[in-house]
Amino acid sequence: MRLLVAICVGLLIFSACSPRNWHSNSHKDVYTYAKKVSRKPSNIKFSERLQQAYREQKDKILLEIESLQASDQPFRWEKIQDKYKILNEMAYRLNDCVACSGKITPVFYETEQSLAVRYATDERIETGLGLLAYETKPEAQRAYHNFMQAKKLSPSQAGIDTLINEALEQGTIRIVIEGNYKREKDYVKDIERDLFRRLPKYTETKPFYLFYNPKEAVEARLQPDYVITFGYDYLSTGMLQSDYSDESFSVDIKVGEKKVDSVKVVPVYEKVSAKVTRCKKSLKAEGRLWFEIRDFQRDEVSIKDSFYDDDLWVNEWASVSGDSRALPTGVISSGSELIPPSYWTQFNSITNDLSNALSWRIRQFLRQKNALAFR
């Protein structure tokens, strides 16, 4: 009985491993076996696998194309042209395989692929034009991406660049950044420069956001979409705080011996003392930055918020005076007195942190606007 079971298991394994039961899982099997046939043209197994892989993958992809053509999926022609592209890539790979000649006949679908590309391009353009007709910025932005996809499908087709520029112009959001110079003008200007340098580089702002300062907006007679205003509520530094504490130590130290009554020897002690002075200096600067984003067209505030930041400088050291023998183990002088930072050093640190916070908050606002446009 065991022998019979072993024979059955062996037959099942042999059957599963038999070339007759092999099936292709991917069009890449065609490339794999074309390469193997090129290396060993006389290998019958490689030739059979190549023929089977090409036949199965070609039939599978043609069925997928037929299914897509019968569906009403949006932009299905892009998927169809991708399918035809694979069919033609397989055909070219086999055509370039000298050892494969006579073993397999590749079939090209270049006309079908070109037709699918044309239909896909036309669908993208038609969709984009429909979105542009709404004359709103979110729809214009979506139209832009449709025209860009059309350009990717048909790079040389005339007229697409004009549509891209039209959608970009209609979909661009123009923002004026205006610092309030009532307090800390120089540091507000630093934040302005930082925002104009950084914001255009972020992915959230490409390609639909342009930033202007007030002078540029006036010269261009601009009607912006949003105005970002910010300034300091305060930026100040406190008084230098100094704390000192002393700790004294004293101990009797054996310094020798002496005889008493010329017979008894007794130790001789000397009292020694030392002092440890611990010092701490601190200087704190702090600031609060307010900002608001106003929808210029609706004349309403979209966001209003503020950020706080501080810079705390601390210097600690300890000094020892007196006889070190009186000190507990491990107590030594440490650190040294340093010169406190200037107020502008601390203000620069605070301004940099607050600029980062404001930049992040603006980016968050732009991400929300982008999400609304493409939801």
Side-chain angles (χ1 to χ4, degrees):
M1 183 65 180
R2 289 182 179 178
L3 179 60
L4 180 60
V5 170
I7 293 173
C8 290
V9 171
L11 288 172
L12 286 172
I13 294 173
F14 176 79
S15 176
C17 298
S18 173
R20 294 180 180 179
N21 292 311
W22 181 86
H23 292 286
S24 173
N25 294 316
S26 166
H27 67 277
K28 293 181 180 180
D29 290 334
V30 176
Y31 308 153
T32 299
Y33 281 100
K35 186 181 294 185
K36 290 183 177 182
V37 169
S38 295
R39 291 174 180 172
K40 296 183 179 181
S42 60
N43 190 302
I44 297 176
K45 176 185 174 182
F46 290 165
S47 297
E48 289 177 347
R49 289 278 177 93
L50 174 61
Q51 293 167 355
Q52 185 177 348
Y54 182 59
R55 181 176 64 253
E56 290 181 354
Q57 289 302 314
K58 180 167 66 68
D59 291 345
K60 173 177 170 288
I61 293 173
L62 287 173
L63 284 174
E64 291 171 347
I65 290 173
E66 185 179 344
S67 176
L68 284 168
Q69 288 175 332
S71 74
D72 57 355
Q73 290 185 30
F75 310 119
R76 64 186 180 279
W77 287 105
E78 292 177 29
K79 297 179 181 179
I80 291 172
Q81 82 89 19
D82 287 338
K83 302 291 184 183
Y84 278 125
K85 182 179 180 181
I86 294 174
L87 288 172
N88 286 321
E89 285 176 351
M90 289 194 301
Y92 278 116
R93 188 69 64 92
L94 294 174
N95 194 60
D96 293 339
C97 173
V98 177
C100 302
S101 179
K103 294 182 174 66
I104 194 167
T105 303
V107 181
F108 290 90
Y109 296 88
E110 293 174 325
T111 301
E112 290 83 352
Q113 183 182 354
S114 297
L115 190 61
V117 168
R118 193 183 81 187
Y119 288 158
T121 304
D122 290 346
E123 185 177 11
R124 284 290 182 178
I125 291 175
E126 183 180 347
T127 301
L129 289 172
L131 291 167
L132 273 184
Y134 286 98
E135 297 184 352
T136 65
K137 292 188 182 295
E139 276 68 27
Q141 291 172 7
R142 292 168 57 198
Y144 170 87
H145 287 292
N146 277 279
F147 295 145
M148 288 297 290
Q149 182 62 20
K151 179 73 174 179
K152 183 179 178 181
L153 289 164
S154 302
S156 60
Q157 182 166 323
I160 298 180
D161 287 336
T162 301
L163 293 173
I164 289 173
N165 292 333
E166 182 181 349
L168 185 59
E169 174 64 25
Q170 187 173 315
T172 294
I173 294 175
R174 294 167 175 81
I175 299 176
V176 174
I177 298 177
E178 182 177 14
N180 185 304
Y181 300 151
K182 185 176 180 180
R183 291 187 177 90
E184 307 298 339
K185 178 179 179 179
D186 290 339
Y187 293 103
V188 171
K189 282 188 172 182
D190 286 344
I191 296 177
E192 275 185 328
R193 283 191 291 267
D194 193 43
L195 291 177
F196 279 113
R197 177 180 61 85
R198 295 164 65 180
L199 286 175
K201 297 179 181 179
Y202 293 131
T203 55
E204 294 93 341
T205 66
K206 297 176 182 179
F208 299 116
Y209 294 88
L210 293 178
F211 301 92
Y212 302 82
N213 61 43
K215 182 180 178 181
E216 292 170 334
V218 171
E219 291 175 350
R221 297 181 179 179
L222 186 69
Q223 292 292 311
D225 297 285
Y226 295 96
V227 176
I228 298 175
T229 311
F230 64 92
Y232 271 108
D233 278 331
Y234 60 85
L235 183 62
S236 61
T237 184
M239 297 294 292
L240 181 65
Q241 302 294 321
S242 299
D243 295 311
Y244 299 91
S245 64
D246 294 329
E247 188 175 5
S248 298
F249 300 90
S250 63
V251 65
D252 293 332
I253 301 295
K254 181 181 177 181
V255 294
E257 296 177 337
K258 68 178 182 179
K259 288 184 178 180
V260 178
D261 299 332
S262 302
V263 177
K264 187 178 180 180
V265 177
V266 296
V268 176
Y269 292 92
E270 178 183 346
K271 184 179 288 293
V272 295
S273 60
K275 183 174 68 174
V276 177
T277 301
R278 293 183 174 85
C279 311
K280 179 179 179 180
K281 287 184 177 181
S282 63
L283 183 62
K284 181 178 180 180
E286 58 185 352
R288 181 173 293 278
L289 186 78
W290 62 267
F291 85 100
E292 70 172 29
I293 300 178
R294 175 174 290 274
D295 188 322
F296 189 83
Q297 304 297 326
R298 297 181 180 180
D299 192 24
E300 62 184 27
V301 175
S302 300
I303 295 176
K304 190 171 185 177
D305 204 349
S306 65
F307 303 105
Y308 170 84
D309 192 62
D310 60 41
D311 185 86
L312 179 62
W313 174 83
V314 177
N315 176 210
E316 295 181 287
W317 73 97
S319 60
V320 174
S321 60
D323 194 320
S324 61
R325 292 176 298 171
L327 296 173
T329 303
V331 177
I332 58 173
S333 297
S334 61
S336 61
E337 184 175 7
L338 303 176
I339 299 174
S342 62
Y343 75 89
W344 60 80
T345 298
Q346 289 189 297
F347 284 0
N348 284 337
S349 174
I350 291 172
T351 297
N352 183 63
D353 290 342
L354 291 176
S355 180
N356 289 336
L358 178 57
S359 176
W360 176 86
R361 189 64 183 90
I362 293 172
R363 292 176 65 188
Q364 187 182 51
F365 170 74
L366 299 182
R367 283 194 291 268
Q368 291 170 350
K369 299 299 294 182
N370 291 338
L372 289 173
F374 294 99
R375 63 181 178 180

